[in-house]
Amino acid sequence: MDGFGLGIAAIIAGAIIKSGIRVDREYERGVMFRLGRFQKIQGPGLYFTVPIIDQKVQVDIRTKTVDIAPQEAVTADSVTIKINAVLYYRIIDPMKAISRVENYQVAVYQASMTTLRNIVGQHTLDEMLQGRDKINAKVQEIVDEITEPWGVEIERVELKDVEIPLSMQRAMAKEAEAAREKRARLIKAEAEQEASKLLSEAAQKMMENPAALELRRLQMLTEVGAENNTTTIVMIPSDIMSLTKEWSTAAQNSNIAALANKIISTPQTVTGESTQEHQLNPDRSTDRLNLPASVTTPQLPISES
């Protein structure tokens, strides 16, 4: 009978010891409460708790990822957008995470969502699109300040997507297109300005050395012949063009001089009456000869008979 009682006592003692043995992994911590009061933080590894007297709450201290659902927000310039973000946090004080807040996961999520909406309302749409790093840092700073008493550290906040209304997308596309067109025109104008300067310098050098112009023409002929073999080009030297222009000017001047001499010699063969009429109305002879108004007939003296 004594042996049977000892066996039962050994079994009960073994069950108690087994129920008190706890093993936590490297990323787990046990918050121990003895008779309802915080005792200490156990783990990782093997440790023993007193059954019925000790209570354990296990906490995962790994970095957790929270996906903030898309939500509508109004920017500072009154544009309604949809934003979503991702939050990274971890527990640095398991005792505070269990005793200071009822559910730290829900609390962190709600704090992040409301803070993100408030920060978006303080910035314009352009700042949201161009300065995401500043907004991420600001949200992280504010949320970390809120969750610090809970023993939670915010490691990182990232905006995943900013959804813009379709009408605003079209307006932004037009603005970007106009900006690029403006830049293209400015670049083209600068290129034309530089090209005009270089052409002016080249013209000055060719005026100093006319042979350079002929060499340039020969080079152009070579280029055209290499590209279009079926095209025949007859090059006229510039000296011939200049000489032709001088001949044309000289011939025109000689014709005007001969016509003037003819007008001067014509009135000497007419009678006195016609001569007097010519003197009284010299423009008639000019009209008959179809002379320009700039050519005037000389006044000849009339002898008394």
Side-chain angles (χ1 to χ4, degrees):
M1 190 71 180
D2 293 337
F4 180 75
L6 291 176
I8 293 176
I11 292 174
I12 294 174
I16 293 174
I17 293 174
K18 182 179 180 181
S19 63
I21 296 175
R22 296 288 184 270
V23 178
D24 288 337
R25 298 181 179 88
E26 184 66 30
Y27 55 85
E28 294 176 341
R29 297 293 184 271
V31 181
M32 303 302 301
F33 293 92
R34 178 165 294 176
L35 298 178
R37 297 181 62 87
F38 172 72
Q39 182 67 22
K40 60 181 177 180
I41 297 175
Q42 294 284 4
L46 176 66
Y47 57 91
F48 181 79
T49 62
V50 179
I52 303 174
I53 298 176
D54 291 340
Q55 295 177 350
K56 170 192 170 184
V57 179
Q58 188 169 318
V59 178
D60 192 339
I61 62 173
R62 290 179 295 182
T63 299
K64 297 178 177 58
T65 303
V66 176
D67 189 7
I68 302 176
Q71 55 183 327
E72 289 188 354
V74 180
T75 61
D77 51 352
S78 301
V79 178
T80 302
I81 60 176
K82 282 187 177 181
I83 55 172
N84 61 345
V86 59
L87 176 71
Y88 301 92
Y89 73 93
R90 67 185 183 91
I91 296 176
I92 58 176
D93 193 339
M95 189 274 293
K96 291 182 179 180
I98 297 300
S99 61
R100 296 291 179 87
V101 63
E102 180 180 1
N103 190 333
Y104 65 88
Q105 296 179 353
V106 176
V108 170
Y109 178 82
Q110 294 296 332
S112 303
M113 186 170 58
T114 55
T115 302
L116 178 61
R117 186 179 301 173
N118 294 334
I119 294 299
V120 170
Q122 299 174 5
H123 295 77
T124 62
L125 179 61
D126 292 338
E127 292 174 351
M128 287 289 302
L129 297 176
Q130 299 176 4
R132 290 193 178 187
D133 294 339
K134 296 181 180 180
I135 295 176
N136 294 338
K138 188 65 176 179
V139 173
Q140 178 182 352
E141 180 182 355
I142 296 176
V143 177
D144 187 63
E145 184 179 355
I146 295 174
T147 59
E148 183 180 1
W150 305 338
V152 178
E153 179 185 10
I154 305 301
E155 294 183 341
R156 193 175 185 86
V157 178
E158 290 288 344
L159 292 177
K160 292 176 62 177
D161 188 21
V162 178
E163 185 177 348
I164 305 172
L166 186 60
S167 59
M168 184 61 64
Q169 292 181 13
R170 289 194 295 265
M172 294 175 64
K174 291 181 181 180
E175 181 182 0
E177 184 179 357
R180 289 184 177 275
E181 185 176 357
K182 174 184 176 182
R183 185 170 59 182
R185 290 185 178 182
L186 290 176
I187 294 175
K188 184 178 180 180
E190 292 176 358
E192 291 180 354
Q193 183 179 6
E194 294 179 1
S196 63
K197 291 181 180 179
L198 295 177
L199 288 174
S200 178
E201 295 177 0
Q204 293 292 335
K205 292 182 180 180
M206 288 183 179
M207 289 177 62
E208 296 175 359
N209 188 5
L213 181 60
E214 297 299 331
L215 293 176
R216 177 57 186 160
R217 289 183 176 180
L218 293 175
Q219 183 180 2
M220 182 178 64
L221 180 62
T222 304
E223 294 175 355
V224 173
E227 295 179 357
N228 301 319
N229 296 327
T230 60
T231 304
T232 303
I233 299 178
V234 178
M235 301 294 293
I236 300 177
S238 58
D239 294 339
I240 296 178
M241 300 296 295
S242 302
L243 185 59
T244 304
K245 184 177 180 180
E246 293 177 359
W247 285 351
S248 177
T249 304
Q252 185 178 2
N253 293 334
S254 63
N255 292 335
I256 294 174
L259 185 58
N261 293 331
K262 182 178 180 181
I263 293 173
I264 294 173
S265 60
T266 300
Q268 295 179 359
T269 59
V270 299
T271 60
E273 182 179 359
S274 62
T275 304
Q276 185 177 4
E277 182 182 1
H278 175 72
Q279 183 179 5
L280 293 176
N281 191 7
D283 294 336
R284 295 180 60 186
S285 60
T286 304
D287 295 339
R288 288 194 300 269
L289 295 175
N290 296 327
L291 293 178
S294 60
V295 181
T296 58
T297 57
Q299 299 294 332
L300 300 178
I302 303 174
S303 59
E304 297 181 356
S305 59

